[in-house]
Amino acid sequence: MRESLFHNDVCPMSKQEWGMKMSKNMLFVYNPRAGKARIRSNLLDIIDVFVKAGYEVTAYPTQASGDAVKAVRERRAGYDIVVCSGGDGTLDEVVTGMMQCEEKLPIGYVPAGSTNDFANSLGIPRSMIKAADTVVNGRNFGCDIGAFNDDSFIYVAAFGMFTDVSYATKQDMKNLLGHTAYLLEGVKRLSSIKSYPMRISYEDACLEGDYIYGMITNSISVGGFKGITGKDVELNDGLFEVLLVKRPVNPLELNNMITALVDKRTHSELIHCFKTDRLIIESEERVAWTLDGEFGGEHCKAVIENCKQALEIRVPDNDKISG
C-alpha cells in the first residue's frame, strides 16, 4: 500500500523525490480549545499549508497548562522549526520552553485566541491560513524576550488593579470606547483598590511609593488596546516600556490620573513611564503577577531583564515591526 503512494497516476513521485521534498521537520503545538476552538475548523488546512511547503509535521495538541512548555523543552532532535497555535498564553508557553533549551529554533505563530496582542504587534494576519502561510513564506525576526526571575515572558509582565481588566472588558465595549473602556472597567474597582508599597530600581534611578498598577511591556498593544505602551515601540531594541501608576488619595488626583491615561500623557505625579533594559521591583508583601495574561506567581522581588533578540519569530516578509 505504501509503495503505491509513490508509483501511481495520482502521485508519480519516487521515494527519493518525496524524501527530498519532505526534508524539513516541524513540531506543531496547538491548543485545541483556544478562541472557542477556532483551530478545529482550520487544522487540516493549516497542516496542508505546512506539508505543501515541504515540512514533515509532528502535531502536538496540548491537554493542560504547561504542556506546551514541556513539549518544546523535551522535543526530540532534528526539528527545524517550532510552530504554535492558540492564544498569547500558548505562545508564552512555547517561548518559555524554548528559552530553557540550549538550541533555540525559530518559532512560528498561528494565532487562535480572542485577543492575540503579540500577533497584532508582529503584523501576523488574523486569518489562520494566512498566518500559516507567513510561517512558511515569511522571514525571521529577532525578537526581545523578557526574563522574570526564573521565568520568561514575551510581551507583558504586570501587577495590580488593571491586570485582568483588559481581558474582562467585553470586545464590543472596546470597539465602541477604545482605551476609555479599559479605564472605565478599572474605575469600577476603585472602592476595593489595593496598593503595594514598592521600591523600583532601574539604571541610576529609584522610585518609591504605593503603586496600584505596573506594566512592563514589549508590545504595541496590550489587552486589545493599541497605544497603551507608548510611542516609538520597537520589539527588538533591547528595551522595555514601563508604566507605573501610584494610588490616588482623593477624587481630584483620581480624575487627573484617568485624564492623563486617556490622553496618553506619560508625565504625571501619579504616572511614571520610562524605557529600560532591566529593573528590580521589591515589596514587603508578596504581589501577584501575570505574564502574558497568565498567572505568574506571587513575589516579593521581581528581577526583570530584557534579553535582546533572544528568539527568532516568523513574521510577514518585508513587514516593518514598530509602534
Side-chain angles (χ1 to χ4, degrees), residues 26-30 43 47 57-61 79:
M26 173 190 296
L27 175 60
F28 179 42
V29 180
Y30 67 94
L43 181 59
I47 293 178
V57 181
T58 301
Y60 184 100
Y79 286 113

Side-chain angles (χ1 to χ4, degrees), residues 141-145 235-238 306-312:
F141 173 75
C143 187
D144 297 346
I145 303 297
L235 308 187
N236 61 350
D237 61 357
N306 188 298
C307 303
K308 185 176 181 179
Q309 301 180 24
L311 292 179
E312 292 186 328

Side-chain angles (χ1 to χ4, degrees), residues 133-146:
D133 184 74
T134 294
V135 171
V136 299
N137 292 313
R139 64 181 175 89
N140 288 344
F141 173 75
C143 187
D144 297 346
I145 303 297

Side-chain angles (χ1 to χ4, degrees), residues 62-304:
T62 61
Q63 305 299 312
S65 176
D67 276 3
V69 177
K70 183 178 179 180
V72 174
R73 186 181 60 228
E74 299 180 2
R75 69 184 188 274
R76 63 172 171 81
Y79 286 113
D80 299 287
I81 188 172
V82 173
V83 179
C84 64
S85 183
D88 289 329
T90 303
L91 177 62
D92 173 82
E93 287 199 12
V94 168
V95 165
T96 298
M98 192 67 74
M99 289 296 288
Q100 295 174 5
C101 297
E102 184 174 345
E103 181 186 12
K104 307 290 194 296
L105 299 180
I107 293 174
Y109 184 31
V110 179
S114 56
T115 306
N116 303 315
D117 280 312
F118 203 63
N120 294 334
S121 295
L122 291 171
I124 295 174
R126 290 187 61 84
S127 163
M128 299 184 77
I129 306 306
K130 291 181 179 179
D133 184 74
T134 294
V135 171
V136 299
N137 292 313
R139 64 181 175 89
N140 288 344
F141 173 75
C143 187
D144 297 346
I145 303 297
F148 182 96
N149 291 346
D150 296 327
D151 209 338
S152 301
F153 65 96
I154 192 167
Y155 78 98
V156 61
F159 71 86
M161 67 169 291
F162 292 123
T163 300
D164 66 341
V165 166
S166 59
Y167 305 97
T169 306
K170 294 181 179 181
Q171 189 61 49
D172 289 346
M173 191 174 183
K174 290 181 185 180
N175 295 339
L176 179 64
L177 298 176
H179 186 204
T180 308
Y182 182 85
L183 301 172
L184 292 176
E185 186 68 27
V187 169
K188 294 178 185 177
R189 310 180 185 191
L190 286 176
S191 61
S192 59
I193 283 181
K194 180 173 178 57
S195 60
Y196 303 92
M198 288 181 161
R199 175 186 176 93
I200 295 103
S201 306
Y202 66 99
E203 298 174 3
D204 296 327
C206 181
L207 302 173
E208 293 188 2
D210 289 350
Y211 291 90
I212 61 174
Y213 179 67
M215 180 173 72
I216 297 89
T217 68
N218 185 47
S219 180
I220 295 170
S221 68
V222 175
F225 297 102
K226 290 187 176 181
I228 294 179
T229 56
K231 299 180 180 179
D232 303 319
V233 176
E234 300 287 346
L235 308 187
N236 61 350
D237 61 357
L239 296 174
F240 293 122
E241 283 70 40
V242 181
L243 169 68
L244 300 168
V245 181
K246 283 187 174 182
R247 180 187 182 97
V249 297
N250 55 55
L252 178 60
E253 284 195 350
L254 171 61
N255 182 68
N256 291 339
M257 179 192 75
I258 293 175
T259 300
L261 288 171
V262 169
D263 293 342
K264 300 178 183 178
R265 286 189 278 109
T266 59
H267 297 290
S268 164
E269 292 184 0
L270 297 177
I271 302 170
H272 295 279
C273 293
F274 55 90
K275 293 176 181 279
T276 187
D277 63 349
R278 186 178 189 273
L279 68 161
I280 300 174
I281 299 180
E282 300 171 281
S283 59
E284 293 184 359
E285 62 179 298
R286 299 177 72 85
V287 177
W289 285 80
T290 63
L291 305 179
D292 297 332
E294 304 292 326
F295 181 62
E298 296 183 343
H299 308 271
C300 289
K301 182 177 181 179
V303 180
I304 307 170

